[in-house]
Amino acid sequence: MKAVVMTAVGGPEVLAIRELPLPTIERGSQLRVHLKAAGVNPVDTKLRSRGTYYPNRLPTILGCDGAGVVEEVGSEVQRFRPGDEVFFCFGGIGGQPGSYAEYVVVEEDCVAHKPAAWSFIEAAAAPLVCITAWESLHDRGRVAPGNTVLIHAVGLWKT
């Protein structure tokens, strides 16, 4: 499979397209996804330019968010079957390979069914930003029933 690999810490020039072995399922709770789109987040640029959380594991594949089609499932996977369209936030910080590749192995708990109305590109753009929004409102802002929240600078969502 082809992947965009971070070979060192630095600018965009440290990214290289490489041919790598197809990732394999190692635990029953995993599934292999044939990626159709990968999200690009500020964290990817920061990790590339400053280093990953696992600096001794270079080269690595960046990219936390992805969307694609389930190709294979582990023996313990309950919610997904080959052919399911999914999206996820998993890996990409240096410990586990990320989504800048044709295939990725992901833990079932990190995967959701892609809404039928969303394209793969829209689905790959959603996970980390949605997690960030949730954390901001729920964990940090402590929004509770009856509170009013102003959300500004939101783009229009095309359906």
Side-chain angles (χ1 to χ4, degrees), residues 133-149:
W134 172 259
E135 181 184 44
S136 297
L137 291 169
H138 185 267
D139 297 347
R140 303 215 180 194
R142 299 181 188 196
V143 173
N147 292 154
T148 301
V149 177

Side-chain angles (χ1 to χ4, degrees), residues 34-52:
H34 183 189
L35 287 149
K36 300 294 182 183
V40 179
N41 294 290
V43 69
D44 303 322
T45 303
K46 291 172 186 168
L47 290 168
R48 180 191 36 80
S49 63
R50 299 178 191 163
T52 70

Side-chain angles (χ1 to χ4, degrees), residues 74-147:
S75 60
E76 299 167 19
V77 172
Q78 297 293 313
R79 296 180 297 125
F80 303 97
R81 299 285 175 262
D84 286 350
E85 295 182 349
V86 297
F87 69 125
F88 61 87
C89 181
F90 182 82
I93 61 171
Q96 299 288 331
S99 59
Y100 294 179
E102 291 181 300
Y103 295 87
V104 66
V105 171
V106 184
E107 289 291 332
E108 179 180 25
D109 290 347
C110 299
V111 179
H113 289 277
K114 180 182 79 60
W118 291 6
S119 70
F120 285 107
I121 293 170
E122 290 166 331
L128 190 55
V129 296
C130 289
I131 292 166
T132 302
W134 172 259
E135 181 184 44
S136 297
L137 291 169
H138 185 267
D139 297 347
R140 303 215 180 194
R142 299 181 188 196
V143 173
N147 292 154

